[in-house]
Amino acid sequence: MRAVVVTEFGGPEAVEIVESAVPEPGARQVRIKVAASALNPVDAGVREGVFGGAGKQVGLGWDVAGTVDAVGPAAAWSVGDQVVALDHGMVKPLGAHAEYVVVDADAVAKAPVTADAAHAATLPLNALTAVQALDLLELAPGQSLLVTGAAGAVGGYAVQLAAHRGIAVTALARQGDEELVRSLGADRFVAEGEAAGFDAVLDAAVLGEPALAWVRDGGAYVGVIPQAHPASERGVRTTSVAVAADGARLADLVRLVDSGVLTLRVAETYPLEEAAKAHARLAEGGVRGRLVLVP
C-alpha cells in the first residue's frame, strides 16, 4: 500500500509517499480501507519534528473514514462496516494518511449516514478534542464561554457543542469570520481585546496568557495543546486537553452530525500522492474547514 511518511523533519517538501506492507489487525483491532483522512496542524508538527522521532520513519494522519476490511480476534466489527476512527499517536511508523490503517476496535464508530467520507474524516480528532475540552470545563447551562479560534475546526465544533448544551457562547475570531461563527451558534462575536469576564475560555487559538486574562476570577481555562496551558492565577482553574480515542464518544458525535447539530467542513481535497501539496496549503494559513487526503 501507499502511505504518507517523513524520514527527515522539515517543511512540506519533507513529506514522502512510500510503499509499505498492508498492516494486519491484532486482537481487538480492525483494519480500515481508508476512503478519506483529514490533514491537521498536528501533522505539520509531527512533520517538523516537534514530537520527536528523529532517525525513524514517522507516519502522518490521525483521522480516518472508510470501510472495515479485516477484523482481529474479539473485535466487535464486521467486514464492510462504514466507519470513522481516531488513529491516535504522535510518533508511529504509519498513520491514517495511507490506503489502509489498523486501529483499536474501541476507537471506531459507525460513519455518519448524512455525510460523504471526505466530510466524515473531518470529525474524529477535532470534534473529540472539542468535546473532551468542554468536559474539562464542567460548565452548566447558562454559564458563559469564550471560544478563541472559533472559526477553526476545533473551535467551530466547540461553539456548536457548547451552544447545544445551553452554554452562552462568545466567539473570538477574525473580523471576516463573524457570519460563520454566528451560524455555528455563537451568541456574541468579539475581536481580540474586547473580551473579559467569562466563566470559562476554551483556547482553540492557543493564545495562552492573553486568553487567561479574559476569564473571571475563579473561572476555568482549557487549552488544546497538552501540558502547554498557563499557570493558574486569580483562582482560575487551568488545564489542557490531551485528546483520547473513544469510539463510544465518537458515536455520540456522529449522532449529532446526523441530527444537524454539528457541521462538517471540507476546505479542499487532495489525492494521496499530493500530500506535500496539501501540507504546503496548510502552511499558507487561512483555511476554513479541513484539507482532506483521498487515497
Side-chain angles (χ1 to χ4, degrees):
M1 71 169 189
R2 295 173 302 156
V4 181
V5 305
V6 292
T7 55
E8 294 183 1
F9 299 134
E13 73 284 349
V15 174
E16 302 177 42
I17 309 295
V18 299
E19 291 288 333
S20 181
V22 175
E24 296 295 331
R28 289 181 285 279
Q29 291 185 318
V30 300
R31 186 173 68 210
I32 300 170
K33 183 177 182 180
V34 180
S37 183
L39 175 64
N40 291 284
V42 67
D43 295 306
V46 171
R47 184 198 74 220
E48 294 166 355
V50 172
F51 306 105
K56 301 178 181 179
Q57 173 180 296
V58 182
L60 302 176
W62 291 53
D63 288 312
V64 58
T67 306
V68 173
D69 93 314
V71 296
W77 292 93
S78 300
V79 171
D81 286 340
Q82 302 297 305
V83 296
V84 290
L86 182 65
D87 181 25
H88 189 280
M90 293 293 185
V91 180
K92 52 199 175 186
L94 296 169
H97 294 169
E99 292 179 305
Y100 294 88
V101 64
V102 167
V103 298
D104 292 340
D106 61 5
V108 180
K110 284 286 185 75
V113 297
T114 56
D116 61 19
H119 283 81
T122 67
L123 184 70
L125 176 59
N126 295 290
L128 281 170
T129 299
V131 76
Q132 291 170 10
L134 279 173
D135 290 346
L136 289 172
L137 291 174
E138 300 178 336
L139 292 173
Q143 287 192 284
S144 61
L145 171 68
L146 175 70
V147 177
T148 74
V154 173
Y157 285 133
V159 169
Q160 291 188 304
L161 289 164
H164 183 63
R165 295 182 180 188
I167 296 164
V169 183
T170 297
L172 189 149
R174 296 176 183 174
Q175 203 69 48
D177 289 321
E178 179 173 1
E179 182 178 350
L180 168 62
V181 296
R182 286 189 181 277
S183 75
L184 297 175
D187 299 298
R188 293 178 56 217
F189 172 85
V190 294
E192 190 170 349
E194 299 174 2
F198 295 94
D199 292 317
V201 167
L202 194 160
D203 188 15
V206 197
L207 301 179
E209 293 283 353
L212 181 62
W214 300 327
V215 184
R216 65 164 173 79
D217 293 356
Y221 166 103
V222 65
V224 296
I225 298 180
Q227 308 304 318
H229 52 275
S232 175
E233 59 181 52
R234 298 179 291 104
V236 175
R237 178 171 56 88
T238 64
T239 188
S240 50
V241 61
V243 67
D246 185 337
R249 204 64 189 280
L250 185 55
D252 291 338
L253 294 166
V254 167
R255 284 188 283 272
L256 293 177
V257 170
D258 285 336
S259 64
V261 173
L262 292 181
T263 303
L264 306 175
R265 294 181 289 154
V266 173
E268 299 175 54
T269 60
Y270 294 81
L272 195 67
E273 58 268 23
E274 292 185 4
K277 183 178 178 181
H279 276 256
R281 175 65 189 92
L282 181 65
E284 292 173 4
V287 177
R288 290 294 172 259
R290 278 286 173 248
L291 306 174
V292 178
L293 298 178
V294 180

